[in-house]
Amino acid sequence: MVNTASRCGFTPQFEKLESLYRQYRDKGLVVIGFPSNDFRQELQTNAEVGDFCRSTYGVQFPMVEKSSVTGDGANPFFRQLASSTNEAPRWNFHKYLIAPDGRTVHSFQTQVEPDAPAVMAKLQPMLRK
């Protein structure tokens, strides 16, 4: 799970997210993007977001509708992720890795690249053989 924004300095992380998705989707990885304008860097409409992600970064992984991911107005899913990890997104491209058991959740700050060794060390044991 990753909160995204189209006009952020970290937007190029879409490339690595899509690469991981393509490489590991047959082994059980699902990447889901949650566009958010909480940090004032997202396009206006869901259609604009979808068009941008597909045309600029070739994104094929699922993207949900724009929603808030921080504070009292955060969508319930992100509130639960923040609660279970004690880490709410502080910026765009905060990543949560949810284990197949649905209970184990790892949180990675914005600066951690999607394919960073810390992420891969948690992800690889979760993948189907």
Side-chain angles (χ1 to χ4, degrees), residues 3-8 11 14 34-36 41-42 52 92-93:
N3 66 301
T4 65
S6 302
R7 306 240 186 257
C8 175
T11 301
F14 271 124
F34 284 77
S36 177
Q41 296 184 316
E42 188 52 277
F52 172 83
N92 304 307
F93 290 89

Side-chain angles (χ1 to χ4, degrees), residues 3-99:
N3 66 301
T4 65
S6 302
R7 306 240 186 257
C8 175
F10 293 96
T11 301
Q13 285 189 17
F14 271 124
E15 290 175 359
K16 290 182 179 180
L17 290 163
E18 180 61 25
S19 178
L20 286 172
Y21 175 66
R22 289 181 188 198
Q23 184 175 1
Y24 296 116
R25 66 181 166 201
D26 292 338
K27 293 185 175 192
L29 178 65
V30 178
V31 175
I32 302 176
F34 284 77
S36 177
N37 197 35
D38 285 3
F39 307 105
R40 312 233 189 288
Q41 296 184 316
E42 188 52 277
L43 298 170
Q44 292 294 329
T45 69
N46 290 315
E48 289 175 313
V49 171
D51 289 345
F52 172 83
C53 291
R54 280 186 299 279
S55 66
T56 308
Y57 292 102
V59 169
Q60 294 178 14
F61 61 79
M63 298 281 291
V64 300
E65 292 186 357
K66 280 175 40 177
S67 66
S68 182
V69 297
T70 61
D72 293 338
N75 72 49
F77 188 63
F78 262 77
R79 273 201 310 266
Q80 179 61 38
L81 291 170
S83 174
S84 68
T85 62
N86 291 319
E87 285 191 50
R90 289 185 270 173
W91 198 247
N92 304 307
F93 290 89
H94 186 105
K95 294 157 282 296
Y96 293 101
L97 180 60
I98 303 171

Side-chain angles (χ1 to χ4, degrees), residues 74-128:
N75 72 49
F77 188 63
F78 262 77
R79 273 201 310 266
Q80 179 61 38
L81 291 170
S83 174
S84 68
T85 62
N86 291 319
E87 285 191 50
R90 289 185 270 173
W91 198 247
N92 304 307
F93 290 89
H94 186 105
K95 294 157 282 296
Y96 293 101
L97 180 60
I98 303 171
D101 67 11
R103 293 186 191 109
T104 304
V105 180
H106 303 283
S107 178
F108 300 95
Q109 296 293 326
T110 299
Q111 299 83 352
V112 178
E113 291 287 331
D115 60 352
V119 176
M120 298 308 293
K122 300 291 186 186
L123 171 63
Q124 292 201 326
M126 296 179 191
L127 298 171
R128 289 190 303 258

